[in-house]
């Protein structure tokens, strides 16, 4: 690959520069999607985890992508709007709350107290298979977040989107 094809300004699009590594990550994501489905995690819960982790990592590209995916899966704009403050609402089920806490603890592994608390909450609301699946979803989106943040993948206006005043 030429240098210019894998660059955006001062950043290297590492997914384009190292396509074999990116394909391996994409294959892992497909496997994790199957693990989540087999564990009984619905698409909305998976997208909530993807979005919350992407919020914590400030990944604009993944936030854009997974907001659209969550809406397609049937998530409401109201819940998406308050996801960053999910603990302060009554809009999320105990199962969703446990998954979000576990996703946050996975994203911030140095916070041992949060891990202990998240695991206790997860144990009361999720099966072992669900706990494992949530952690794998969080690990995978964390990896994609880092690819996009470090590559500075752009979020552009859709060609079909109306112009803003």
């Amino acid at each position: 690959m030429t240098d210019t094809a894998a660059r955006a300004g001062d950043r290297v699009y590492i997914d384009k520069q190292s396509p074999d590594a990116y394909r391996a990550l994409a294959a892992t994501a497909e496997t994790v999607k199957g693990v989540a489905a087999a564990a009984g995690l619905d698409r909305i819960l998976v997208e909530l985890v993807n979005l919350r982790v992407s919020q914590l990592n400030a990944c604009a590209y993944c936030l854009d992508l997974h907001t659209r995916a969550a809406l397609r899966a049937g998530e409401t704009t109201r819940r998406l709007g308050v996801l960053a403050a999910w603990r302060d609402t009554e809009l999320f089920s105990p199962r969703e709350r446990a998954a979000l806490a576990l996703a946050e603890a996975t994203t911030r592994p140095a916070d041992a107290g949060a891990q202990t608390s998240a695991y206790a909450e997860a144990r009361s609301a999720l099966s072992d298979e669900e706990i494992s699946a949530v952690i794998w979803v969080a690990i995978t989106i964390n990896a994609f977040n880092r690819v996009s943040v470090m590559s500075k993948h752009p979020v552009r206006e859709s060609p079909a989107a109306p112009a803003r005043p």
Side-chain angles (χ1 to χ4, degrees):
M1 171 152 303
T2 65
D3 280 351
T4 56
R7 283 183 161 276
D10 66 336
R11 300 292 179 109
V12 173
Y13 284 166
I14 64 171
D15 51 329
K16 306 284 189 255
Q17 185 65 43
S18 305
D20 290 341
Y22 187 77
R23 278 192 291 276
L25 181 57
T28 298
E30 281 302 309
T31 300
V32 169
K33 185 177 179 180
V35 166
L41 300 184
D42 64 40
R43 197 74 223 149
I44 288 176
L45 181 54
V46 170
E47 293 305 336
L48 289 173
V49 168
N50 285 333
L51 283 165
R52 185 63 190 128
V53 170
S54 297
Q55 287 173 339
L56 295 173
N57 290 323
C59 182
Y61 185 86
C62 294
L63 284 165
D64 180 57
L65 179 77
H66 291 287
T67 296
R68 289 183 281 120
L71 290 168
R72 279 193 308 274
E75 185 54 271
T76 67
T77 56
R78 183 177 186 209
R79 285 178 16 124
L80 292 176
V82 299
L83 182 59
W86 63 268
R87 284 183 177 85
D88 299 327
T89 76
E90 296 179 2
L91 300 179
F92 299 93
S93 72
R95 187 169 177 256
E96 291 167 331
R97 297 172 78 77
L100 291 168
L102 199 54
E104 289 180 358
T106 303
T107 302
R108 297 177 171 156
D111 188 343
Q115 279 189 24
T116 300
S117 175
Y119 242 102
E121 189 172 355
R123 282 279 179 217
S124 70
L126 302 169
S127 69
D128 288 356
E129 292 80 12
E130 290 169 324
I131 290 170
S132 180
V134 167
I135 292 170
W136 276 111
V137 169
I139 288 168
T140 305
I141 191 62
N142 267 290
F144 278 109
N145 287 169
R146 280 144 180 81
V147 168
S148 289
V149 168
M150 293 309 297
S151 298
K152 202 158 182 73
H153 286 155
V155 176
R156 294 188 175 105
E157 194 68 46
S158 168
R164 294 178 194 236

